[in-house]
Amino acid sequence: AQSVTQPDIHITVSEGASLELRCNYSYGATPYLFWYVQSPGQGLQLLLKYFSGDTLVQGIKGFEAEFKRSQSSFNLRKPSVHWSDAAEYFCAVGATGGFKTIFGAGTRLFVKA
Amino acid sequence: GAVVSQHPSWVICKSGTSVKIECRSLDFQATTMFWYRQFPKQSLMLMATSNEGSKATYEQGVEKDKFLINHASLTLSTLTVTSAHPEDSSFYICSATHDSANYGYTFGSGTRLTVV
């Protein structure tokens, strides 16, 4: 069965520092992978997605993610974090059978001044 | 871009009453809609998948008689929490797509349900 693991429940970074959020997936074939961001009390916004092709994917708000098949990972990165990036980040995989999306547990990002 | 409106944003109801949550695609026709439930500080758990004009498909463990889903048109799906109890208090989020094969989903802003 498909699954997504986000090892870090929360991460704190200083404003202006670089960021990497980890995501590992379990899937039998080439997965469809996503990163979403959720602000408190809000819905989810898609940051980026990977279906095929170039393994380095560019997203909105300066985020990028790299698909590494050998490590079953799809880590999210940003070179310089802004205070407005503080939010909950979810990694997700597109599941077969009904085109459902399976979400990881999420990583809460805190940004300190 | 694709916009999904979810209403209400928050609702408080008494135990035993029913609450209806609406999910509308404003600028596209959504052939498939999904309903999720999110407990505090937890991830989204898929409750059900609804396709326009057919019965919803519920995930294992979700009571279909308690969580009634109606997808009567290509722009509207509703989730009705029947005979609500405090344990039903949660954040409910819908997503809609016109392109499920490419996972082109748009999420609503969610509904905070509190049952007292």
Side-chain angles (χ1 to χ4, degrees):
Chain A
Q2 300 94 344
S3 66
V4 179
T5 301
Q6 293 179 249
D8 303 306
I9 296 174
H10 56 81
I11 284 181
T12 301
V13 298
S14 298
E15 190 170 18
S18 63
L19 169 70
E20 181 169 31
L21 301 182
R22 295 184 293 165
C23 173
N24 294 96
Y25 66 89
S26 173
Y27 194 74
T30 300
Y32 290 177
L33 294 164
F34 310 84
W35 274 100
Y36 288 90
V37 60
Q38 182 183 35
S39 297
Q42 298 294 313
L44 275 69
Q45 181 181 24
L46 179 66
L47 289 175
L48 48 80
K49 61 185 178 183
Y50 170 79
F51 282 5
S52 64
D54 193 345
T55 57
L56 184 62
V57 181
Q58 300 298 320
I60 63 172
K61 303 184 178 186
F63 285 94
E64 67 177 27
E66 186 171 12
F67 170 60
K68 292 185 177 180
R69 184 189 301 277
S70 62
Q71 298 177 20
S72 297
S73 69
F74 189 57
N75 295 347
L76 181 71
R77 300 193 294 250
K78 186 170 185 177
S80 178
V81 170
H82 188 262
W83 65 266
S84 59
D85 294 325
E88 187 88 21
Y89 291 80
F90 292 98
C91 181
V93 62
T96 55
F99 304 104
K100 297 181 290 188
T101 305
I102 307 298
F103 288 87
T107 297
R108 167 73 64 179
L109 173 64
F110 297 95
V111 180
K112 60 182 181 180
Chain B
V3 178
V4 172
S5 173
Q6 191 171 338
H7 179 80
S9 299
W10 59 270
V11 57
I12 301 173
C13 71
K14 293 183 177 181
S15 289
T17 62
S18 295
V19 174
K20 179 183 286 187
I21 302 170
E22 293 186 346
C23 181
R24 293 182 184 271
S25 56
L26 298 186
D27 51 2
F28 67 99
Q29 293 184 324
T31 54
T32 303
M33 289 187 174
F34 298 86
W35 286 96
Y36 294 85
R37 182 174 181 176
Q38 185 180 30
F39 291 101
K41 300 183 179 181
Q42 295 189 29
S43 187
L44 283 76
M45 300 302 297
L46 180 65
M47 299 175 66
T49 303
S50 71
N51 292 292
E52 186 267 338
S54 62
K55 291 184 178 180
T57 302
Y58 290 82
E59 295 299 302
Q60 189 173 8
V62 177
E63 299 176 63
K64 60 182 179 182
D65 294 330
K66 180 167 189 61
F67 299 100
L68 300 179
I69 292 173
N70 186 294
H71 193 163
S73 78
L74 285 172
T75 59
L76 174 64
S77 176
T78 61
L79 168 67
T80 301
V81 183
T82 63
S83 187
H85 291 280
E87 57 266 30
D88 298 325
S89 299
S90 190
F91 194 60
Y92 294 87
I93 304 177
C94 71
S95 70
T97 180
H98 63 284
D99 185 17
S100 60
N102 287 304
Y103 296 88
Y105 302 131
T106 301
F107 283 81
S109 57
T111 297
R112 170 73 60 194
L113 170 63
T114 302
V115 184
V116 297

